Amino acid sequence: MLLALEAIYGDDLVEFRSKTGLRCFQIYIRYDLHDGAEVCAKFDSANGNGECPDDDCTEQHEDKQHDLSYSCNIQHLPPLILTCVLPQSYPSKEPPYFTVTAKWMDGPSVLKLCEMLDTIWAELPGQEIVYQWVEWIRNSSLPHLGFGKKITLGYDISAHKGDNRAISRSLSLESVIPWMLSYSSKKCYQVFLEDLHMCMICLSQSKGSNFIKFPCQHMFCFECMETLCRMHVKEGTLFQLVCPDTKCTASIPPYLLKRLLSEEEFERWDKLTLEKALDSMSDLVHCPRCATACLADEDNNAQCPKCRFVFCSLCKDPRHPGKPCLTLEEKLLQQQASGKIAARGMVEEMLSIQSLYSDARSCPKCRMTISKSEGCNKVVCIKCGQAFCFICGKAIIAGYNHFDRNCDLYEEKEKDTTDWRKRLDQLEAKNRRRAQSQPVGSTIKCPKCRIKIHKGDEKYVYCWACQASYCTLCKKEVQFSGFRSEHWGSPQCVGIKF
C-alpha cells in the first residue's frame, strides 16, 4: 500500500523509521487554487496595535467596535500535513493513527477535518483509507470548511483543547499572514520557472528559467532583453530602457539591468544615468575651459571650483555684469574688428554656422541639439525621448495633430544666407582689385616676417628670410604640389590686403 502511495505522491510523501516496527509517514497535501483566493484575517485591536502585518495587505475596517480585518490575495496556500501511523491490525480492524497539521488554520477548522476523516473511515471500514483521506482533503476540505474565493481566519485564541490530533495555528496572525504571503510568492516563482512561456519579441517558447520577469508582470526571454538593453546602453538611449510591451512604460529596475549587462556596460549605464540626472538640474553648468560641473547663481554667473574661471552660464563667455550676451554674429564681428580673424574668414564662418543651425534644433525638454538630414518634421530626442516639431520647435505629446493645424509634416525650412553670400562676393572682388593694384616687379612686405621682398609673380611671392612661398591674395603659406595655379583664387583662398 505504501509503495502505491509513493508512486502517486512522489516527494510529497516522507516515510519515517519507527522503533516499534509500525509504519509511519507524512503526506504534504497541496491545495490547487486555480484563480487564487482572498485571505481575510480578523484582528482584535484590544489585543494588538492594529497594524497591518504586511505591506501587500489591504486594510478593511469592520463595523464592530475594536475589530479590524486585513485582506490579501494568495495564489498558493501552505500545504496541510497528514501524519499517519499504521497499526498492526490496519486495515482490517483499526484505522491509521493520524494527526492533521495546518499551521495557518484556526483550531475549530482543523478539528472539523479530523472529525470528517473519522466519518470517512466509518463509512468505509476495513479498506485502504489513506488515499481517500488525502483526496478528500485536497479536493473537498476547503468547501467543507466554508472556504471558497474567500478564506477567513478568526481571532488569535489559545491552543484548542480536546482532540490532540488537530494541530492548528500556534503563532499570531501578525506572523502567520507574512509567512503565507512569502510561501505563495516563492511557489508562484517556482511554477513560473517550470512552465513554458512565449517571448513576444522573438515569438519562441521556453521555460521560465530562460525568461526575465519585470515588476509589471510582463516577461520576455533573457536573450532578447540582453540584446535590447545592450543596444540602448551603447547608443545612450536610456529613456528606452523600459518594458517592451506596447502598452507598458515601466522602467527596467537596476537589479535586472545588472543581470542583463556586462560589468563594463553596467558602469556605462550608471555613468550615463548620473550625467542625465545632472543635466536635468537647471542651475548646473559645465566650465567651458575644463568641463568641471559648476552651480550657477541667480544672475546666471558661475565660478569653476577647479580652474577658478568665472563665466556666464548662458553664453559661456567671461562674466559680463550688466551687459547682454553676444550672439554668434556679434562674436565674429568682434573678432574681425580686433584682427583675430580676416573679413572673409568671418563671413565664411558665419555661413558655416548658419548652414549648420538651419539643419539643427534644440530639444524643448533637455536642450540637446538635434540635426535632421531627411524625413518628416516630427523628430524624437535620442537623449530624453521628447517628440517635437522640427519647424517651430514645439513639444508634441502624441500623434500628428500638430501638423494638421500648424506646420507642414514634410516642409523644408529654407536657408537664409543671401545677405552673407552677397557680402562674401563683395569682399572677394574688393580684395582681388587690391592685390592686382600691386603689379609684378613692385616691392611688398612678407606676410610673416614683414621684410620687403620683390614681387616676381602676380599670384605667389617667395621670401628668402622665411624660405617659404606665400599667396599674394590671402597671404597664406603655400606648399606646392603640382600646378601652382590650384590655390590662388580657390574657395580656400581668403582675400585680405598686404
Side-chain angles (χ1 to χ4, degrees), residues 12 27-31 78-82 133-134 137-138:
D12 287 337
I27 299 180
Y28 288 78
I29 305 173
R30 307 181 190 277
Y31 292 103
L80 184 146
I81 304 174
L82 176 65
W133 281 353
V134 174
I137 293 175
R138 172 180 293 170

Side-chain angles (χ1 to χ4, degrees), residues 198-201 214 216-220 225 228 240-250 252:
M198 175 175 285
C199 174
M200 299 309 295
I201 297 178
F214 298 138
C216 58
Q217 302 305 310
H218 296 126
M219 52 189 175
F220 303 89
M225 289 309 306
L228 185 69
Q240 293 189 9
L241 287 174
V242 295
C243 173
D245 189 85
T246 55
K247 298 182 180 179
C248 183
T249 58
I252 302 177

Side-chain angles (χ1 to χ4, degrees), residues 180-226:
M180 293 176 69
L181 287 168
S182 176
Y183 173 84
S184 178
S185 177
K186 291 179 180 178
K187 188 65 178 177
C188 286
Y189 183 67
Q190 182 181 354
V191 172
F192 166 76
L193 294 179
E194 295 174 354
D195 284 351
L196 287 176
H197 307 278
M198 175 175 285
C199 174
M200 299 309 295
I201 297 178
C202 63
L203 301 179
S204 61
Q205 278 193 336
S206 182
K207 284 189 174 182
S209 54
N210 298 322
F211 274 69
I212 289 289
K213 192 172 185 179
F214 298 138
C216 58
Q217 302 305 310
H218 296 126
M219 52 189 175
F220 303 89
C221 73
F222 190 91
E223 185 176 353
C224 287
M225 289 309 306
E226 184 181 41

Side-chain angles (χ1 to χ4, degrees), residues 105-122:
M105 279 190 187
D106 305 326
S109 297
V110 183
L111 181 59
K112 289 182 181 179
L113 297 181
C114 295
E115 293 173 349
M116 190 61 192
L117 297 186
D118 291 336
T119 302
I120 295 175
W121 167 257

Side-chain angles (χ1 to χ4, degrees), residues 94-376:
E94 293 182 277
Y97 307 132
F98 69 89
T99 60
V100 176
T101 305
K103 296 182 179 179
W104 54 273
M105 279 190 187
D106 305 326
S109 297
V110 183
L111 181 59
K112 289 182 181 179
L113 297 181
C114 295
E115 293 173 349
M116 190 61 192
L117 297 186
D118 291 336
T119 302
I120 295 175
W121 167 257
E123 294 175 353
L124 302 171
Q127 296 187 21
E128 301 283 354
I129 201 65
V130 176
Y131 176 77
Q132 282 79 4
W133 281 353
V134 174
E135 291 305 305
W136 180 87
I137 293 175
R138 172 180 293 170
N139 301 318
S140 305
S141 62
L142 293 182
H144 178 73
L145 297 174
F147 296 158
K149 292 295 183 180
K150 185 174 183 179
I151 299 175
T152 303
L153 303 181
Y155 305 110
D156 290 328
I157 57 176
S158 58
H160 185 76
K161 298 179 181 179
D163 196 337
N164 294 328
R165 300 176 302 174
I167 304 175
S168 60
R169 184 178 76 240
S170 59
L171 300 176
S172 64
L173 284 175
E174 283 85 351
S175 301
V176 171
I177 296 298
W179 168 69
M180 293 176 69
L181 287 168
S182 176
Y183 173 84
S184 178
S185 177
K186 291 179 180 178
K187 188 65 178 177
C188 286
Y189 183 67
Q190 182 181 354
V191 172
F192 166 76
L193 294 179
E194 295 174 354
D195 284 351
L196 287 176
H197 307 278
M198 175 175 285
C199 174
M200 299 309 295
I201 297 178
C202 63
L203 301 179
S204 61
Q205 278 193 336
S206 182
K207 284 189 174 182
S209 54
N210 298 322
F211 274 69
I212 289 289
K213 192 172 185 179
F214 298 138
C216 58
Q217 302 305 310
H218 296 126
M219 52 189 175
F220 303 89
C221 73
F222 190 91
E223 185 176 353
C224 287
M225 289 309 306
E226 184 181 41
T227 303
L228 185 69
C229 292
R230 286 184 172 181
M231 178 187 69
H232 288 313
V233 170
K234 181 180 179 180
E235 296 178 354
T237 52
L238 301 188
F239 71 95
Q240 293 189 9
L241 287 174
V242 295
C243 173
D245 189 85
T246 55
K247 298 182 180 179
C248 183
T249 58
S251 299
I252 302 177
Y255 72 90
L256 288 180
L257 286 174
K258 199 164 188 177
R259 290 179 55 192
L260 294 165
L261 302 173
S262 65
E263 185 175 351
E264 293 180 358
E265 291 168 336
F266 187 78
E267 289 179 359
R268 171 174 167 78
W269 170 84
D270 193 37
K271 180 181 178 182
L272 292 175
T273 303
L274 177 60
E275 291 177 356
K276 184 178 179 181
L278 293 176
D279 291 342
S280 65
M281 300 172 61
S282 59
D283 59 345
L284 188 138
V285 293
H286 290 85
C287 175
R289 291 185 176 179
C290 62
T292 302
C294 315
L295 289 177
D297 58 21
E298 297 178 354
D299 298 326
N300 296 319
N301 295 316
Q303 183 175 15
C304 177
K306 185 176 181 180
C307 66
R308 314 305 298 176
F309 177 55
V310 181
F311 61 96
C312 172
S313 62
L314 299 178
C315 63
K316 304 299 187 296
D317 285 339
R319 180 173 174 265
H320 48 83
K323 297 180 180 179
C325 298
L326 297 177
T327 63
L328 288 174
E329 182 178 345
E330 291 172 340
K331 290 180 181 180
L332 289 173
L333 290 172
Q334 193 178 69
Q335 290 181 4
Q336 191 249 338
S338 63
K340 294 181 179 180
I341 185 173
R344 175 170 177 143
M346 182 268 294
V347 175
E348 288 186 337
E349 183 71 18
M350 199 65 219
L351 282 172
S352 176
I353 291 174
Q354 286 193 351
S355 177
L356 175 64
Y357 275 81
S358 66
D359 294 328
R361 296 290 182 275
S362 293
C363 171
K365 183 177 181 181
C366 67
R367 311 309 301 171
M368 181 180 181
T369 302
I370 298 174
S371 177
K372 181 177 78 74
S373 58
E374 59 183 357
C376 72

